[in-house]
Every structure is written in structure tokens, then in C-alpha cells.
Amino acid sequence: MPEHRLTCTAEAALEVENRMLLEQNAALRRTLHEVQNELRTLRAHELGARLRDGLNARSLRDTEMEELREQRDAALAASHQAETAMQALRNVNQRLMIENSRLIAADAPQASDEVPFSRQCDEMGPF
């Protein structure tokens, strides 16, 4: 019978130890679930932050690209205006050259009015 008592005592001790281990296991599972939930929450926040940063970065790039396009368009418009002004100046220059040529031609003696230099010398006589 002493063996039976020892066996019963050992069984009772094993049952107590088993209950303690089950309670520890349950507590560890709760802790594990809490940690997993916290980790999921942290990951979700991190992914959300990355997404926001990515969208902000894209939106900054889009804003920068739009500003660069506006600058390009303004430069092209200024270039077209300068080209138009240059063409207008070329046209004025051409008209002035034509008018100057007419004025120079009008001031020059006509071929019939001109007295050749040799004839002028003849009329002056010998020195």
C-alpha cells in the first residue's frame, strides 16, 4: 500500500504540475496573442506610414514635374515671342534698307546729268 500511496501522491503532484503547466501555457498563449496583435498593429501603422510617404513623395514629384512643365511652357512662350519680335525687326530692317536705297538713288546724279571727269578737265583748260 505504501507504493500505492506514493503512486497516488505522485499522480496528485503530476496533476498539480500539469495544471500549473496548463495555466502557464494559457498565459503564454495570451501573451503570444497580445504580442502578435501588437505586432500586426505596428506593421499596419508602418505600412500606412510608408504608403503616406510614398503618396507624399509621388505628390511632391508630381508637383515638381508640374512646376518644371510650367517653367518650360513659359520659356517656350518667351522664345516664341522673341522669335516673333526678331522677325518683326528683320522686316523693319528690310524696309529701311529698301527706303535707304531709294533715297541714295534719288540723291545720286542721273546718268544724263552727269558730266564725265575727263570733260570737266578739258573745260578747265591746261594748268
Side-chain angles (χ1 to χ4, degrees):
M1 222 168 192
E3 291 177 7
H4 181 59
R5 279 190 189 174
L6 190 57
T7 307
C8 286
T9 308
E11 274 185 36
L14 287 175
E15 283 181 18
V16 169
E17 187 177 353
N18 192 21
R19 275 190 231 121
M20 286 176 46
L21 289 174
L22 287 173
E23 285 176 15
Q24 285 179 350
N25 191 3
L28 287 173
R29 281 187 182 178
R30 282 190 302 273
T31 303
L32 176 64
H33 288 299
E34 289 171 6
V35 169
Q36 286 174 335
N37 288 335
E38 188 175 337
L39 184 59
R40 282 187 199 108
T41 302
L42 288 173
R43 284 182 184 160
H45 288 301
E46 184 180 333
L47 288 173
R50 283 185 187 170
L51 181 61
R52 278 190 306 276
D53 291 344
L55 290 176
N56 288 339
R58 278 193 192 112
S59 116
L60 285 175
R61 283 193 300 265
D62 291 345
T63 302
E64 289 172 357
M65 287 300 294
E66 185 60 33
E67 287 174 8
L68 289 174
R69 284 185 189 108
E70 288 172 4
Q71 290 174 3
R72 180 201 62 201
D73 293 344
L76 284 172
S79 172
H80 290 298
Q81 287 176 344
E83 186 62 36
T84 302
M86 284 295 291
Q87 187 58 44
L89 289 173
R90 284 186 198 112
N91 292 342
V92 168
N93 191 30
Q94 258 183 337
R95 285 194 303 262
L96 288 174
M97 286 174 56
I98 291 168
E99 186 63 30
N100 285 344
S101 296
R102 285 184 193 145
L103 291 172
I104 291 170
D107 283 346
Q110 296 298 327
S112 60
D113 295 343
E114 247 182 69
V115 178
F117 182 71
S118 61
R119 189 169 160 204
Q120 291 174 1
C121 290
D122 289 341
E123 290 176 356
M124 293 174 78
F127 291 96

